[in-house]
């Protein structure tokens, strides 16, 4: 079975890893091997060297028998001939997996040319250079990428401001938002909540609550799935590439996983989910029974010195189990939890909640 994977992010690389032994080709538009996006803010902050971003060497791909095509952009899927058309030529497939990920949502504000976004190593290098020059940063957006950046850069001693248009962080309630803010404020992050960015210039950003100074500006307003190759090839797409619970797209033998895929209105948006999709799809392609639970989300983030796990349903009325754990109940059962600092506990709770025994 010739399996062609478009994209060498965590979804694509994990799928190739799981299916090693099969005839695997990866097509990747970037010119570098797989690197860790969750570690980019650690790299920008100066906590790790660039080499540490690369978990797999080129030899690793070779040993695994993965044919890695770097610097090749997938353009179109010729479904009738079962060929992927790339910038470097055509590749025949039996199974094609689209794992093209996502890109940052562009800020819809005047002066967006003064604002960076962060997704790739190249973005990180650009931002790192600027931050080292100006030693201050203004982050727009209080999602997990904004908070990771804020935490790490403040921990590294940079002056950090974070502007967020809502009053709650990560969609959590007021109490949890307050705890996250207090932790990050201890490291020096200055928060501007309920502030809508209107216009950026060289020196900072004008919001509807006033002007906030910051020479280096990074916008983290969420993601836009890279669905274009599917759309161009006549494959059904909504916000992302539409898939069923077996990761099948509307085209025969074409699958989609990771940030580019949309299941029942859900775009997972984390590396953990992309790798989870890859593991389940690998089993399905090998004819084994498996299932991915799209409704159950669980991720551990580290905002500087502060690790936090969001498990299952984390909205609505919650109850504190202890100072570091808030749980969310439905019908007397724990269906979600936010666990701060104690990651072992978070992992235990995740297992229990998933198994429905808490
Ligand atoms: P991607 O990682 O986006 O990879 C897709 C690949 O496809 C890219 O390499 C792209 O170049 C390639 N590609 C796209 N189109 C084409 C084409 N037409 N032809 C060829 N190649 C193409 N997640 C977590 O779980 N925890 C975290 O702490 C965390 N922190 C993050 C911090 C940052 C700064 C960022 C940017 C992301 C973070 N994430 C985190 C999110 C996580 O990185 C993504 O969810 C994950 O990378 C998605 O994996 P993917 O394989 O679907 O797509």
């Amino acid at each position: 079975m010739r399996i062609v994977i478009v994209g060498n992010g965590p979804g694509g690389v994990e799928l190739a890893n799981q299916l090693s032994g099969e005839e695997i080709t990866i097509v990747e538009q970037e010119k570098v091997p797989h690197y860790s996006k969750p570690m980019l803010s650690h790299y920008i902050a100066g906590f790790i060297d660039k080499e540490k971003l690369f978990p797999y060497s080129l030899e690793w791909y070779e040993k695994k028998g993965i044919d890695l095509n770097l610097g090749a952009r997938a353009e179109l899927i010729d479904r009738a001939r079962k060929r992927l058309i790339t910038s470097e030529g055509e590749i025949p497939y039996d199974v094609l997996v689209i794992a093209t990920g996502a890109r940052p949502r562009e800020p819809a504000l005047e002066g967006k040319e003064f604002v960076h976004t962060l997704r790739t190593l190249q973005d990180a290098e650009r931002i790192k250079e600027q931050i080292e020059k100006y030693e201050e940063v203004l982050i727009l957006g209080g999602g997990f990428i904004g908070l990771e950046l804020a935490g790490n850069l403040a921990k590294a001693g940079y002056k950090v401001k974070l502007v967020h248009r809502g009053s709650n962080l990560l969609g959590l309630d007021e109490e949890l938002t307050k705890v996250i803010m207090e932790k990050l404020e201890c490291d020096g992050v200055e928060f501007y909540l309920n502030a809508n960015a209107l216009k950026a210039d060289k020196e900072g950003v004008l919001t509807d609550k006033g002007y906030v100074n910051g020479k280096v500006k990074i916008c983290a307003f969420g993601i836009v799935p890279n669905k274009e190759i599917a759309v161009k090839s006549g494959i059904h797409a909504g916000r992302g590439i539409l898939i069923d619970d077996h990761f099948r797209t509307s085209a025969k033998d074409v699958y989609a996983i990771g940030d580019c895929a949309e299941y029942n209105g859900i775009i997972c948006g984390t590396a953990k989910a992309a790798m989870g999709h890859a593991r389940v799809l690998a089993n399905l392609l090998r004819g084994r029974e498996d299932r991915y639970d799209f409704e159950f989300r669980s991720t551990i983030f580290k905002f500087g010195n502060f690790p936090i796990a969001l498990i299952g349903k984390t909205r609505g009325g919650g109850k504190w189990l202890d100072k570091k754990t808030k749980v969310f109940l439905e019908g007397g059962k724990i269906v979600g939890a936010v666990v701060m600092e104690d990651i072992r506990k978070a992992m235990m709770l995740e297992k229990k909640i998933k198994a429905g025994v808490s």
Side-chain angles (χ1 to χ4, degrees):
M1 183 163 57
R2 176 151 196 178
I3 301 164
V4 176
I5 302 167
V6 185
N8 190 32
V13 82
E14 180 62 18
L15 183 66
N17 183 24
Q18 294 287 329
L19 288 172
S20 85
E22 304 288 343
E23 199 182 334
I24 309 277
T25 301
I26 297 182
V27 174
E28 167 58 52
Q29 65 189 4
E30 287 203 56
K31 291 193 173 134
V32 288
H34 172 78
Y35 55 88
S36 165
K37 292 183 179 79
M39 295 307 282
L40 286 178
S41 62
H42 300 251
Y43 168 63
I44 296 171
F47 296 140
I48 56 164
D49 292 333
K50 191 165 157 186
E51 302 81 71
K52 287 274 186 300
L53 293 170
F54 296 92
Y56 309 114
S57 62
L58 286 174
E59 292 73 51
W60 177 86
Y61 287 91
E62 228 173 84
K63 266 195 200 149
K64 285 267 174 184
I66 301 165
D67 176 19
L68 177 65
N69 292 260
L70 294 177
R73 186 173 166 76
E75 311 275 8
L76 192 75
I77 304 161
D78 182 340
R79 293 158 56 185
R81 290 168 59 236
K82 292 190 95 171
R83 272 158 202 273
L84 177 71
I85 318 292
T86 81
S87 55
E88 308 303 303
E90 294 187 7
I91 304 171
Y93 66 82
D94 297 312
V95 164
L96 181 80
V97 181
I98 310 175
T100 46
R103 55 186 178 273
R105 183 176 301 287
E106 287 250 325
L109 61 138
E110 212 184 303
K112 66 178 181 197
E113 63 276 18
F114 295 106
V115 181
H116 297 273
T117 53
L118 174 61
R119 182 79 188 184
T120 64
L121 179 56
Q122 237 184 354
D123 297 333
E125 309 239 51
R126 218 174 292 133
I127 292 169
K128 186 171 168 62
E129 191 195 305
Q130 290 287 301
I131 284 179
E132 284 169 0
K133 185 165 163 199
Y134 293 110
E135 299 191 346
E136 61 169 27
V137 61
L138 169 52
I139 295 162
L140 304 175
F144 72 84
I145 292 179
L147 291 168
E148 263 181 17
L149 264 168
N152 278 321
L153 293 173
K155 184 176 158 190
Y158 293 108
K159 189 170 168 55
V160 181
K161 294 172 186 170
L162 191 146
V163 170
H164 179 61
R165 71 174 174 185
S167 50
N168 296 51
L169 296 170
L170 302 172
L172 298 172
D173 64 22
E174 265 169 43
E175 282 180 339
L176 286 162
T177 296
K178 200 165 156 237
V179 180
I180 296 172
M181 281 176 67
E182 280 169 4
K183 291 283 178 195
L184 292 180
E185 277 165 351
C186 276
D187 283 334
V189 179
E190 255 178 68
F191 283 92
Y192 298 79
L193 295 192
N194 298 306
N196 236 323
L198 303 172
K199 186 178 167 185
D201 60 29
K202 231 174 148 187
E203 300 302 320
V205 167
L206 177 68
T207 77
D208 55 359
K209 298 281 156 54
Y211 192 84
V212 187
N213 280 307
K215 283 210 164 64
V216 185
K217 294 156 282 289
I218 310 171
C219 175
F221 280 175
I223 57 168
V224 178
N226 292 325
K227 62 178 178 182
E228 288 70 17
I229 186 169
V231 174
K232 259 172 61 184
S233 311
I235 294 170
H236 297 171
R239 211 152 62 82
I241 303 168
L242 298 178
I243 54 165
D244 69 6
D245 58 358
H246 281 56
F247 301 96
R248 288 178 291 224
T249 69
S250 62
K252 191 169 180 299
D253 298 322
V254 180
Y255 299 78
I257 57 171
D259 282 9
C260 68
E262 176 180 343
Y263 172 78
N264 212 7
I266 301 167
I267 296 201
C268 291
T270 65
K272 190 175 173 193
M275 290 191 284
H277 293 178
R279 285 183 207 119
V280 173
L281 179 59
N283 280 335
L284 295 172
L285 290 175
R286 288 202 148 134
R288 299 178 192 143
E289 283 277 311
D290 208 348
R291 180 181 162 269
Y292 187 83
D293 186 351
F294 287 88
E295 306 291 336
F296 186 84
R297 310 177 90 174
S298 164
T299 324
I300 297 165
F301 301 112
K302 198 156 181 237
F303 307 145
N305 289 316
F306 176 55
I308 178 167
L310 272 60
I311 305 161
K313 293 185 182 161
T314 53
R315 287 175 195 217
K319 188 176 125 193
W320 290 95
L321 278 189
D322 55 52
K323 273 185 173 169
K324 294 177 179 171
T325 314
K326 192 169 196 179
V327 293
F328 297 81
L329 299 131
E330 265 176 24
K333 256 192 169 179
I334 300 179
V335 291
V338 174
V339 184
M340 290 168 274
E341 287 162 16
D342 191 343
I343 295 311
R344 264 172 62 110
K345 182 174 186 180
M347 284 155 82
M348 272 157 48
L349 250 179
E350 177 183 337
K351 272 192 198 149
K352 282 188 176 173
I353 295 172
K354 235 178 166 175
V357 293
S358 46

